[in-house]
Every structure is written in C-alpha cells, then in structure tokens.
Amino acid sequence: MTNPLPIQFQQTDLDALEAFSGRIALLVAPDDNVARSPAARRLNRLSKGALNRFLDSEAWGKVKPGEATDLAWPAGLAAEALQVVKAGPRADVATARKAGASIGKSAGKAGVLVLAGSMQRAAEVSFGLALRAYEFEPHKTAEPTVRGPVIIMVKEPDAVAAEAKPMAAVAEGVFFTRDLVNEPANVLTTDDFAARLAAMQALGLEVEILEEADLAKLGMGALLGVGQGSESPSKVVVMHWNGGGDEAPFALVGKGVVFDTGGISIKPAGGMEDMTMDMGGAGVVSGVMRTLALRRAKANVVGLVGLVENMPDGRAQRPGDVVKSMKGDTIEVINTDAEGRLVLADVLWYAQERFKPVGMINLATLTGAIIIALGHENTGVFSNDDGLCDAFLKACKAEGEGAWRMPMGDAYDAKLKSRIADMMNVGGRDGGAITAAQFLKRFVKDDVPWCHLDIAGTALVKADTTLAPKGATGWGVMALDRLIRDKFEG
Ligand code: BES
Ligand code: MN
Ligand code: ZN
C-alpha cells in the first residue's frame, strides 16, 4: 500500500538552517509583517533581508490562512526554497492542517525542514502534511516519487510526537481507503479485496471471509443476485476489532461493488470507468478498521463489507427478477443498476442478527441523485436516530468532512411498493437518494440507532481538495474514527 511519508520531530536548531539543502517551511502568524520568531529572524539575516521584504509586501497580505508562498533559490541559504506559510502559534485545527497540506503538496526529493516553533497545533500540521503528500503510483512505470525526510522543528518535540502518533494511524487508514478506491477493477477483484483485508490480521484484527456457499446458506439472495453475472465470486468480509471488553460492538457496513456496469440495465459508456470506485463504502469501512487496529482503540467495532461485481452476462440477474433477502422479504428487481441497496440489505441484516450492535452506520456510493442534491462537498446523511446522527455530524464538523442530513418519511417509502413482491428496488427518479435510504431502512431494526451515508459524491473527486490530490479522498475515515473515540473511548 501507499505509505505516509515518515515525519520526525526535533528541537529547533537554528544553526542547521544555513546548510539545509531541501525546502525550508517557515510558519508565520498572519499579522506578522516582520520576522519575529528566532527562526524567522535567523532566516531573514541569512537571506540578507529578503524575508522581511516579503513579509512587508502586498503579496504576503494576500496569502490566505494556511496557504503559502515560495521564495525560490534564496540567496544566503543552501535551500531550494524558503516556503513562507501563513499560520500563527494559535491557529485552529483546520488552519494547522491546511498549513501542513501546503507544505506536503510541494514536498520533494531533498526533504523538508518545517519551522513550527511554539505552534500549539504542530501535530495537526504534520497530519495535514502527510495526508496531502499522498500519491497513487503503483501503475506508473516511471520511477516512483521519492520524497526526502520531513523534519518538524518544535519547542517540545516529544510531546508533539506523542500527539501525532494516533494521527499517523488515521493517515494510514485514509491511505488504505484511497488506495482501494483508486485501484482499477481488474486489479481489485473481490478476491484481491478480501486478500488485502485478510492481510490486516497481522495488525491484530480478526478477519473472516464468507464465501458464496456460506452466503447461500444464510439466505442472502439479494446480495447473491447482484454478483451472479460476474466471474468474480461474491463475498462478505467481517473484520472485528475487540479493544473494549465484553460490550456489544458498534457496526460499520460498506457497499463493496468492485465494478458497477449497471448489469443488464447497463450504464452508458461515458464515465462508466469511474465505477471502479463503487466499492468506496467498503473502502472507508476497511480504512477505519485499519486505523482502529493501528492505534489499538479501546472500543469494540465490527466492520462488514459486501464484495460483489455487477456485470451483464448470460447468468446475470434480469430486470423483473424477484429475489429473497436474508430477512425474508422479497424484492422485485426493476433496475439491475440499483444494486448497492440489494447488497446492503443482506449485510445490514446479517450484522444485526449476528452482533446485536449498539449502533450501526453504513456507507455506500449509492445514488447519482445524492450528487445532484449535494454536489461533491457533502455526504448525504440519513438516520433513524437523532442522537447518533447529531454525534456523527459533530464529528464530521470537527474533522472538516462535509456532511448534510437528509429527510426520510413514509411517503417516500410508499414509492417502493411492488405489484408482485414485498417491494421494488427503485422508487422513481425524484428523491432518488431518499427512496434508496428508505429501502435500506426496511432492513434496519427499529431499535437499532442507524445512519446511512451516501458517499457517491464525496468518495472520489475530479479536483484537488485541501487534504488530497484529485481522485479518492478517503472521506469519512477521520470522522468515523473520531465518532468512535468520542462515543466509546471518552
Ligand atoms: N453506483 C451507482 C451510484 C453512483 C453514481 C455512484 C455516480 C457514484 C457516482 C449506483 O449503483 C447506481 O447505479 N444508482 C442508480 C440508481 C437508479 C438506477 C435508481 C443511479 O443513481 O442512477
Ligand atoms: Mn448501479
Ligand atoms: Zn453501484
């Protein structure tokens, strides 16, 4: 997998600045128009006043908090660049991460020396730096990008390093998710996905793989119908992290459609290549489980992913077919492209029957309709429980991950009524993200607090974001990890 670049914390050493040959990143408070910190004054002196001329300029005034400007090939320094980053000693979490991202984005071969001085949130700078330095390169034949060492100089390196350690576990979880979502479907088959999850046993996770015969025995006709046209076998993978004693676990459930052609209700060719990301929900669940294991979380969490491929074939499911779910309800499959809900119906039911979870969150790249509603800035959140939903939205806010609650209700549910079965798998074009959520709700027990997260717009984006280059974002790993910390480890 893609590994976050290693970051070291050291005591500030002003005498190291002159000869350092990589990039030097200096954090400067927004209202400073002259070099003030010891490191800034030394750099100003070495650069023969260039730093002060910059800080006094209109250009510095226009730099936004967390953003940066390069003074390239500065005279008097061996460095490639002196990067002046706008972030003061009391910058908030978002600004500290953004400042780190500005540094991580341009980190190169020769390494970076970050002068964070007495900044309170230096650990958050390291987190933003690591996240933004991500690159997905396994399929480029050119030499992989090597980034030199990153050294962050601070007043109290040991304290900052301790604070940064669990954040590094989150960054690794985010990278695991991004790699899975970026991976093409000829590589990330259901078998390959399951093998990558099984490999996490080395981290202390318990990983079980249910094969098609097991799923048939359990009665998962809805999930199996989706995968029956594929050469890749359908699977459910269960990951257990037991860090919290004997209590019932919290459950995370992910849609893992490794490729979604639409099936017999085939999608148009334009943009179909993006459907390699249709396992995004399963990717986030997997990334969170990795983070929990890496930071030895004191919580019981079970992660379940339904891995299938939706293909057209002689054996594929047809529009009009009726399948029977594990719950026992029958479903008329009007559109084979509304497959994610069929997969989730059975995995949600199985999770509740087997684990009696204290709460449950599922993630899925479920509908194009949620992109029409919310664009790429916010995940659609649907819930049967205000307590869980508010706690999750709060975690999203704290982590800077966009999320917006959507309505539910009986009138939407009524659109799923079928003439010949217990329900149809689609409810028409209008309110498409909501009728999809209503479908899932039919497979959630009333007394189980539950959220459904439709991440179709947020799992993969076409432009760089603050903390990620374009492509897979890993949206949700940070917020879910925080929710688990706040709810079970407080
Ligand atoms: N995987 C798609 C949803 C999707 C669309 C994800 C765009 C990411 C980007 C899902 O399986 C799907 O095809 N949904 C259909 C449902 C419809 C047939 C009711 C859709 O949204 O068009
Ligand atoms: Mn589909
Ligand atoms: Zn899909």
Side-chain angles (χ1 to χ4, degrees):
M1 72 161 268
T2 310
N3 286 307
L5 77 182
I7 298 177
Q8 294 169 45
F9 298 92
Q10 288 178 15
Q11 196 79 51
T12 307
D13 174 9
L14 298 183
D15 294 330
L17 302 183
E18 185 170 7
F20 183 76
S21 59
R23 297 171 56 84
I24 296 179
L26 174 72
L27 304 193
V28 178
D31 42 8
D32 281 4
N33 55 1
V34 58
R36 279 186 214 287
S37 69
R41 280 186 282 138
R42 176 68 70 94
L43 288 167
N44 183 52
R45 179 146 54 78
L46 290 169
S47 67
K48 302 183 175 53
L51 179 58
N52 268 353
R53 279 194 287 131
F54 172 63
L55 292 178
D56 198 30
S57 71
E58 210 174 306
W60 171 242
K62 285 186 180 150
V63 174
K64 298 199 183 92
E67 292 183 353
T69 297
D70 265 17
L71 309 186
W73 309 108
L77 293 171
E80 279 174 23
L82 172 56
Q83 186 181 25
V84 188
V85 189
K86 193 169 266 190
R90 270 177 297 279
D92 61 15
V93 172
T95 306
R97 287 182 184 177
K98 193 170 179 190
S102 297
I103 301 165
K105 189 176 166 180
S106 40
K109 250 193 200 150
V112 193
L113 189 59
V114 182
L115 295 156
S118 56
M119 187 198 222
Q120 279 172 6
R121 294 202 165 88
E124 298 286 1
V125 174
S126 75
F127 185 50
L129 196 163
L131 287 175
R132 186 59 183 82
Y134 175 85
E135 250 172 291
F136 184 68
E137 298 184 307
H139 305 293
K140 302 258 194 199
T141 56
E143 283 291 299
T145 310
V146 236
R147 298 183 195 268
V150 175
I151 297 166
I152 302 188
M153 289 188 165
V154 284
K155 256 214 185 99
E156 293 175 71
D158 294 343
V160 178
E163 205 189 323
K165 204 172 161 215
M167 296 177 188
V170 179
E172 236 190 85
V174 171
F175 276 36
F176 191 62
T177 301
R178 288 180 185 170
D179 278 2
L180 288 168
V181 172
N182 281 326
E183 201 69 90
N186 61 330
V187 175
L188 192 77
T189 59
T190 57
D191 285 311
D192 185 71
F193 199 147
R196 292 183 192 210
L197 300 184
M200 290 208 288
Q201 287 174 116
L203 304 175
L205 280 169
E206 196 187 305
V207 181
E208 275 172 78
I209 301 175
L210 307 184
E211 303 290 351
E212 277 182 357
D214 306 311
L215 305 179
K217 229 176 273 165
L218 286 162
M220 292 198 189
L223 182 149
L224 287 168
V226 175
Q228 77 190 27
S230 171
E231 294 293 323
S232 290
S234 301
K235 294 169 199 283
V236 171
V237 181
V238 186
M239 295 164 271
H240 310 249
W241 176 252
N242 297 312
D246 304 328
E247 308 111 57
F250 192 77
L252 299 175
V253 175
K255 167 181 173 180
V257 176
V258 295
F259 195 76
D260 181 13
T261 61
I264 297 300
S265 312
I266 198 161
K267 289 180 181 295
M272 198 202 273
E273 69 280 4
D274 286 342
M275 286 302 119
T276 57
M277 56 74 98
D278 208 22
M279 34 52 66
V284 174
V285 171
S286 306
V288 174
M289 297 310 292
R290 190 178 187 92
T291 292
L292 297 177
L294 286 168
R295 67 172 185 79
R296 325 285 321 158
K298 291 190 173 44
N300 289 346
V301 180
V302 59
L304 301 100
V305 294
L307 306 180
V308 304
E309 186 180 37
N310 189 19
M311 296 289 264
D313 180 78
R315 274 175 315 232
Q317 166 159 276
R318 290 158 290 259
D321 282 4
V322 174
V323 295
K324 189 169 203 162
S325 66
M326 181 184 171
K327 182 185 174 192
D329 291 355
T330 56
I331 305 159
E332 185 186 7
V333 180
I334 298 294
N335 188 320
T336 64
D337 197 11
E339 84 296 340
R341 61 198 78 183
L342 297 170
V343 173
L344 287 173
D346 279 339
V347 185
L348 286 168
W349 195 255
Y350 176 71
Q352 293 165 96
E353 289 284 290
R354 178 161 169 205
F355 296 107
K356 312 270 178 279
V358 293
M360 181 163 70
I361 295 185
N362 75 257
L363 296 99
T365 48
L366 202 63
T367 67
I370 200 67
I371 310 177
I372 303 302
L374 300 176
H376 297 279
E377 310 304 321
N378 284 286
T379 285
V381 182
F382 302 82
S383 184
N384 64 355
D385 185 274
D386 292 347
L388 177 63
C389 189
D390 290 348
F392 180 66
L393 291 173
K394 194 175 148 217
C396 289
K397 193 155 219 171
E399 296 297 327
E401 293 188 309
W404 194 260
R405 189 169 183 178
M406 300 284 290
M408 298 188 73
D410 293 342
Y412 297 106
D413 187 76
K415 299 184 53 151
L416 297 169
K417 200 169 159 57
S418 161
R419 182 175 57 85
I420 64 164
D422 296 336
M423 70 193 85
M424 304 192 295
N425 73 330
V426 292
R429 258 171 64 80
D430 44 318
I434 309 175
T435 49
Q438 293 294 155
F439 182 94
L440 297 182
K441 186 169 179 286
R442 288 172 174 239
F443 297 89
V444 176
K445 299 181 183 184
D446 286 335
D447 59 350
V448 177
W450 159 78
C451 292
H452 152 53
L453 311 178
D454 194 335
I455 59 170
T458 48
L460 183 101
V461 295
K462 304 265 180 212
D464 293 358
T465 57
T466 305
L467 296 178
K470 60 174 165 284
T473 59
W475 185 98
V477 174
M478 298 191 295
L480 287 166
D481 180 67
R482 171 167 293 267
L483 178 78
I484 289 159
R485 252 186 295 155
D486 292 351
K487 218 171 146 57
F488 303 106
E489 301 176 78

